Amino acid sequence: MAALDGILVVSLEQAVAAPLCTLRLAEAGARVIKVERTEGDFARRYDHVVHGESAYFVWLNRGKESLVLDIKQPDDAALLARIVGRADVFVQNLAPGGAARAGFGSDDLRARHPRLITVDISGYGEDGPAAAMKAYDFLVQCETGLAAITGGQSEAGRVGVSVADIACGMNAHAAVLEALIARGRTGTGSGIAVSLFDSIADWMSVPLLHYDYAGKAPARAGLHHATIAPYGAYACGDARQVVLSIQNEREWRAFCTDVLALPDMAEDARFADNSRRSANRAALDAAIAAEFATLDAAAVVARLAAAGIAFASLNEVADLSRHAHLRRVTAETASGPVALPAAPIRWADGARPAGTVPAIGEHSDAIRREFAG
């Protein structure tokens, strides 16, 4: 029996944040009814790379039922109201105020159904000057300052995956589980509101604390770390790059002695501690580059491993596809099977099933019969 067997989740969802939250609930055994417009979740049309289907959609919507409704129509609104009346969790990430205008505001729903857990996912929260603004992942990365500390020295950069959406969906999922535990003790549901902005602002705590208390935010550092050195990608004599990270003074001494074969460098005043190494990063990197240029990547890796220094390869997506640690699951779609990364949680009693990706309205008829007035 899965942990959330018997839990009914109804979600007016689109894009990434809410679907990620409900995906995790579905993986835990909840029944998730995904309410879509006639044209479907617009994430279905982000691309067509997976047998003609969207990569985002097949990733985020496994194990759900698709119900097409037009909630502006009285009959469809009444059907949704009946479903919500039997639900445990109601999730929505419509445009700000959209759910309330349609008669599905969270406060009203919980007043009618005290055991219901409601989740409102938004860009900037329920109030404030930006509450009504559209908030796509890239925009929130820029608005929170994340893009300003990402990228190389000469240009800001977007994180290459939808981190604002993903962070928000993860926070919503965790909050739902907390609310279910609380309801089990009190019998009463909870109102949850999660925003993309708040999710990334939380992740920006360290740069923000640097600015607020030291007067300066960390500079963009590309593949280096803004405040730790040495930390980054270094070219070897065969033009391959190795990524390494020094976290403490013991590792620094071992790196100088056993990797660079320059034991005196550990005592150099310019590099005596992490703060001074960061301040003298150009000289530090030049010394590392000079030694690594005499070795191929395999030799550098052998030295790093022997010295107990943390390292990695600077891989491409193609390398991830072949990576020995990449676990995959196969999900069925209307267009054919799709190999996806397995869920990140590993359970001692075995993997959870991947679930099937629904076609638009695939379950509409059955759900309408089940919840007929």
Side-chain angles (χ1 to χ4, degrees):
M1 179 176 175
L4 298 187
D5 275 353
I7 296 295
L8 174 59
V9 179
V10 181
S11 190
L12 282 168
E13 63 179 28
Q14 56 196 351
V16 176
L20 177 60
C21 170
T22 58
L23 168 67
R24 296 293 178 237
L25 298 173
E27 288 174 330
R31 179 187 181 187
V32 176
I33 297 177
K34 178 186 180 76
V35 179
E36 301 190 68
R37 299 179 176 90
T38 303
E39 65 274 19
D41 180 345
F42 57 73
R44 287 183 180 272
R45 298 180 298 282
Y46 277 162
D47 58 60
H48 305 283
V49 301
V50 184
H51 307 313
E53 300 193 51
S54 161
Y56 270 97
F57 193 85
V58 300
W59 166 40
L60 294 168
N61 292 284
R62 309 187 304 273
K64 303 178 186 181
E65 300 173 31
S66 173
L67 167 64
V68 169
L69 291 179
D70 179 357
I71 59 174
K72 295 180 180 179
Q73 300 301 316
D75 287 348
D76 280 3
L79 172 60
L80 180 58
R82 291 194 296 274
I83 299 172
V84 171
R86 287 164 53 180
D88 299 280
V89 182
F90 174 74
V91 181
Q92 69 85 19
N93 69 336
L94 302 184
R101 288 191 297 272
F104 295 93
S106 294
D107 291 342
D108 290 341
L109 290 178
R110 292 197 314 282
R112 294 199 296 271
H113 311 293
R115 288 179 53 81
L116 183 66
I117 295 163
T118 61
V119 185
D120 295 307
I121 293 177
S122 64
Y124 293 99
E126 305 303 305
D127 49 33
M133 288 176 59
K134 291 185 177 181
Y136 302 131
D137 180 272
F138 168 58
L139 305 180
V140 173
Q141 288 194 36
C142 293
E143 190 78 18
T144 56
L146 176 59
I149 62 166
T150 303
Q153 293 180 353
S154 62
E155 185 178 12
R158 171 189 175 271
V159 178
V161 295
S162 300
V163 289
D165 284 314
I166 293 167
C168 186
M170 291 169 63
N171 286 332
H173 170 243
V176 169
L177 299 183
E178 184 176 335
L180 286 168
I181 293 171
R183 192 185 70 173
R185 295 173 175 171
T186 67
T188 302
S190 302
I192 297 165
V194 190
S195 76
L196 276 68
F197 183 90
D198 287 347
S199 296
I200 294 300
D202 176 48
W203 285 14
M204 287 288 290
S205 290
V206 169
L208 184 63
L209 291 171
H210 273 263
Y211 175 78
D212 286 345
Y213 292 93
K216 184 179 180 181
R220 287 192 299 274
L223 288 175
H224 290 287
H225 193 288
T227 58
I228 301 175
Y231 189 123
Y234 296 89
C236 304
D238 57 0
R240 295 176 60 195
Q241 294 188 80
V242 174
V243 182
L244 63 91
S245 170
I246 301 297
Q247 294 287 314
N248 54 56
E249 298 312 303
R250 176 186 54 77
E251 290 182 353
W252 167 242
R253 290 188 294 272
F255 180 69
C256 292
T257 300
D258 301 329
V259 178
L260 299 181
L262 297 170
D264 293 344
M265 190 170 169
E267 310 305 325
D268 190 316
R270 297 172 298 169
F271 312 133
D273 58 34
N274 180 67
S275 295
R276 281 181 270 191
R277 289 194 294 274
S278 295
N280 294 285
R281 189 188 301 274
L284 174 67
D285 286 348
I288 295 172
E291 178 60 22
F292 279 18
T294 67
L295 304 166
D296 62 21
V300 170
V301 165
R303 290 189 184 186
L304 291 168
I309 303 300
F311 67 90
S313 300
L314 184 57
N315 282 339
E316 303 286 343
V317 176
D319 299 305
L320 172 62
S321 183
R322 299 186 291 266
H323 203 288
H325 282 264
L326 178 62
R327 298 177 299 114
R328 293 185 186 263
V329 294
T330 299
E332 296 298 328
T333 78
S335 304
V338 179
L340 291 154
I345 308 302
R346 303 191 196 196
W347 297 94
D349 59 354
R352 305 296 189 256
T356 298
V357 180
I360 298 174
E362 179 178 344
H363 304 89
S364 292
D365 290 344
I367 293 172
R368 287 178 181 278
R369 288 192 298 271
E370 179 183 355
F371 293 91

